[in-house]
Amino acid sequence: MMDVSKWKDEPTKIAVPITGENIAEISKEIFSINNAIDKIDLIEWRIDYLKDFSLANLIECNRIVRQVQLPLILTLRSVEEGGNAIELDYHDLLNRSIETLDFDILDVEIDKKVDGLITKVHQNDRCVIASHHDLKHRLDEQGIIEKFKLMNDHDADIVKVAIMPKNEKGVLALMQASLVANDELDIPIVSMSMGEKGMISRIIPSNFGSSISFSSLAKSSAPGQIQVDELKRMIDTLKY
Ligand SMILES: O=C1C[C@@](O)(C(=O)O)C[C@@H](O)[C@@H]1O
């Protein structure tokens, strides 16, 4: 199992999502990622973008994704939290993924009763990012801190909260909550405020809260992601 706890004390890591719908699209993305690999620390394979969830297709796509020599986060983002997988059984697909796919970290949505999945990921020597996406901006600063703590209590190795802010105060609340949670918890936290208003939250150094910033290369996986060259430059400038 990777030791992700040390990420807390390291500069913010840049993650690039893979959002291809099929083998051809994924192969193109892998080519682009490998060409920019010096600027990227992690990749996230968003399997909810796939059109074919057969085992054969998953395994072949996984083989191509693994041609990038970087830690891999596997994510099935549900529609409720901003993803695409509509007619899928979340638990069934993630259980099958743990059994058959090769990845380092699994994203699990904490609101989906994921204790069984978390245990299984750990039994298989992989790490867990527990996540919550507040698309309606319901959480205030205290609510965000409590969400981080709840995910920590459920034995996650990394905890992530994203909000879609209604206003600038919401962006600051997310950043303040991240700072508090980062101080109070022993594990790395990841946070972002989505959309244009929230872009500022994607360029803060890790000691201000977030250990990972999701960036875009070809296609973004969420609104407000900053292009990888630009983000790398900004994070390097702010690093201290
Ligand atoms: O959870 C996240 C964060 C994200 O939603 C973002 O806003 O950058 C992008 C997703 O791909 C990832 O799974």
Side-chain angles (χ1 to χ4, degrees):
M1 187 161 140
M2 284 175 59
D3 177 15
V4 293
S5 62
K6 61 177 198 259
W7 290 4
K8 209 174 165 70
D9 305 314
E10 296 177 357
T12 307
K13 306 215 171 315
I14 296 182
V16 167
I18 294 161
T19 56
E21 293 183 358
N22 51 45
I23 290 175
E25 287 183 12
I26 289 177
S27 300
K28 268 197 204 159
E29 285 177 288
I30 297 307
F31 182 78
S32 311
I33 288 173
N34 274 330
N35 277 337
I37 198 137
D38 52 320
K39 302 182 186 106
I40 304 169
D41 302 295
L42 309 168
I43 50 172
E44 181 197 44
W45 181 21
R46 285 280 304 265
I47 59 173
D48 53 290
Y49 280 89
L50 289 175
K51 290 289 179 231
D52 171 5
F53 290 94
S54 67
L55 190 57
N57 189 55
L58 282 167
I59 289 176
E60 182 53 12
C61 292
N62 191 191
R63 192 186 63 75
I64 296 164
V65 166
R66 273 308 206 185
Q67 289 170 359
V68 178
Q69 305 291 313
L70 290 174
L72 170 63
I73 305 169
L74 187 85
T75 299
L76 173 62
R77 182 68 60 239
S78 69
V79 176
E80 305 86 84
E81 301 219 8
N84 303 290
I86 296 178
E87 281 161 22
L88 287 171
D89 180 325
Y90 183 83
H91 289 82
D92 175 54
L93 185 52
L94 286 191
N95 269 307
R96 284 197 286 131
S97 301
I98 299 167
E99 286 156 18
T100 53
L101 300 181
D102 175 20
F103 60 88
D104 301 295
I105 304 171
L106 186 71
D107 180 299
V108 298
E109 295 177 1
I110 198 67
D111 288 2
K112 294 211 157 44
K113 299 203 181 353
V114 285
D115 285 342
L117 286 171
I118 294 175
T119 305
K120 190 163 170 168
V121 174
H122 286 150
Q123 282 167 348
N124 281 271
D125 267 345
R126 265 82 64 87
C127 300
V128 170
I129 295 186
S131 66
H132 177 71
H133 295 72
D134 179 11
L135 302 181
K136 300 251 161 74
H137 193 179
R138 294 196 170 105
L139 297 176
D140 60 8
E141 183 186 326
Q142 199 48 40
I144 296 170
I145 295 171
E146 275 159 25
K147 222 19 147 183
F148 278 127
K149 288 187 176 165
L150 173 82
M151 294 191 280
N152 181 56
D153 291 346
H154 282 259
D155 214 17
D157 304 293
I158 301 174
V159 288
K160 172 169 71 179
V161 173
I163 64 156
M164 180 59 88
K166 288 199 180 111
N167 49 42
E168 285 72 12
K169 279 190 184 154
V171 179
L172 287 181
L174 181 275
M175 290 167 73
Q176 177 68 22
S178 305
L179 187 58
V180 173
N182 194 40
D183 282 346
E184 291 187 9
L185 304 182
D186 291 331
I187 58 174
I189 76 137
V190 176
S191 69
M192 63 284 293
S193 189
M194 292 181 279
E196 284 185 5
K197 282 194 186 77
M199 281 169 94
I200 181 93
S201 71
R202 295 184 184 274
I203 55 172
I204 53 169
S206 67
N207 46 349
F208 272 83
S210 188
S211 291
I212 305 177
S213 184
F214 286 78
S215 170
S216 63
L217 196 54
K219 216 165 91 191
S220 67
S221 66
Q225 285 176 346
I226 299 167
Q227 219 276 330
V228 70
D229 297 303
E230 221 176 322
L231 182 65
K232 170 83 177 150
R233 213 166 350 100
M234 291 193 271
I235 285 181
D236 282 352
T237 304
L238 293 175
K239 188 159 59 185
Y240 63 86

